[in-house]
Amino acid sequence: MSGTMRAVVLDGPGPAEALDIRERPIPVPMPGQVLIRVRAFGLNRSELHTRLGLAEGVTFPRVPGIEAVGEVADAPGGEFRTGQKVVTLMGGMGRVFDGGYAGYTCVPAGQVIAFESGLPWSTIGAIPEMLQTAHGSLTVGLDTKPGQSLLIRGGTSSVGMAAAILAKRRGLTVLASTRDESKRQALAAIGVDHVLIDDGGLAAAVRRFFPDGVDAALELVGTPTLPDTLQATRMHGVVCFTGMLSNQWIVPDFYPIDYIPRGVRLTA
């Protein structure tokens, strides 16, 4: 396939105005790659980090975007058929090689997933990264089991709400936090058992429901709230550090024995 496409290009870290729409050649896939006609893509905090210069391993100029959904335009290795609906995400997209903010994206075949759906592209585009992050946190990160209690710190984020819905389907009791009282009903509407208003300290509120602490906690805010989230978790419970809504993910002068409560497990 030849011709040009529109793409969002970032020449280097900067403000939102640094994102520039340009005409670029449509990529040519090699065997083992898939060229996807992009129908929609999600907007992720990861791309904000890239634009601000906070993400590691990024080379410029770069087309951002860690995910995309669309249709196969070409797969020279025969892994997928032309026109097949597919999703792709992560694996270096938008950082090491050009990502989804374009009319077409060319990615390794190993990170392409075929699917069928009657949902509109605008809906499908918001699902992949959000869903895999929430699902991966509950399974790989926390290894949750039916009957357990789960705290979601940053519950009204897209990942937080997806995690709450998935956790309820897995039979968990869910506590979720928000800093905004007006969002309480949004969390209750998706089945959250206990909505907590986050003023920076949740451990005491959590232990009113679970005196020993919760079995599992999903940290989506970042390092500013992580110590308190650890304090809200029972001995031998697990905290999974997944999100950085605060844009802060480094713990200065990290001293594990002092930082992590006795017997609590911290993963990511």
Side-chain angles (χ1 to χ4, degrees):
M1 180 176 292
S2 61
T4 62
M5 64 178 184
R6 289 196 306 165
V8 176
V9 181
L10 184 64
D11 290 318
E17 291 75 15
L19 297 167
D20 187 34
I21 299 177
R22 300 175 189 168
E23 288 289 325
R24 299 189 99 194
I26 295 174
V28 178
M30 304 293 289
Q33 296 179 325
V34 177
L35 180 66
I36 299 170
R37 181 184 180 186
V38 177
R39 294 292 192 176
F41 56 83
L43 299 176
N44 298 278
R45 203 163 192 86
S46 171
E47 291 127 18
L48 173 63
H49 294 158
T50 295
R51 178 173 63 76
L52 294 176
L54 302 176
E56 296 184 359
V58 181
T59 56
F60 297 101
R62 180 62 59 224
V63 175
I66 63 172
E67 64 176 323
V69 296
E71 299 155 332
V72 173
D74 191 11
E79 298 90 348
F80 299 91
R81 68 178 187 275
T82 301
Q84 194 167 10
K85 292 181 178 179
V86 292
V87 56
T88 183
L89 67 161
M90 304 293 285
M93 282 185 69
R95 292 188 174 190
V96 180
F97 57 89
D98 288 339
Y101 285 23
Y104 292 82
T105 187
C106 186
V107 301
Q111 66 181 68
V112 178
I113 303 167
F115 71 92
E116 291 295 336
S117 175
L119 292 171
W121 287 114
S122 57
T123 298
I124 296 172
I127 292 174
E129 175 64 13
M130 172 182 67
L131 189 60
Q132 75 90 18
T133 301
H135 181 266
S137 295
L138 295 177
T139 55
V140 176
L142 294 170
D143 192 26
T144 56
K145 301 291 190 296
Q148 289 185 324
S149 54
L150 169 71
L151 169 64
I152 302 175
R153 192 80 177 247
T156 52
S157 64
S158 62
V159 172
M161 297 185 82
I165 293 169
L166 294 177
K168 291 303 298 180
R169 291 185 179 185
R170 295 173 71 86
L172 277 71
T173 298
V174 177
L175 303 84
S177 73
T178 176
R179 294 177 297 172
D180 187 346
E181 175 68 41
S182 68
K183 295 182 179 180
R184 179 186 293 273
Q185 183 54 40
L187 290 173
I190 60 172
V192 170
D193 298 283
H194 305 290
V195 178
L196 307 175
I197 304 303
D198 194 347
D199 60 1
L202 286 183
V206 168
R207 288 179 181 270
R208 284 198 289 270
F209 295 104
F210 296 93
D212 294 330
V214 290
D215 298 305
L218 176 57
E219 178 61 69
L220 297 174
V221 175
T223 58
T225 56
L226 181 58
D228 184 64
T229 300
L230 287 162
Q231 291 293 336
T233 307
R234 67 167 175 83
M235 183 181 292
H236 299 160
V238 183
V239 176
C240 181
F241 186 94
T242 292
M244 296 164 285
L245 294 170
S246 63
N247 288 343
Q248 298 180 45
W249 58 90
I250 299 297
V251 179
D253 303 318
F254 180 58
Y255 177 42
I257 292 176
D258 179 64
Y259 191 91
I260 303 174
R262 185 165 60 97
V264 177
R265 296 161 181 173
L266 175 60
T267 187

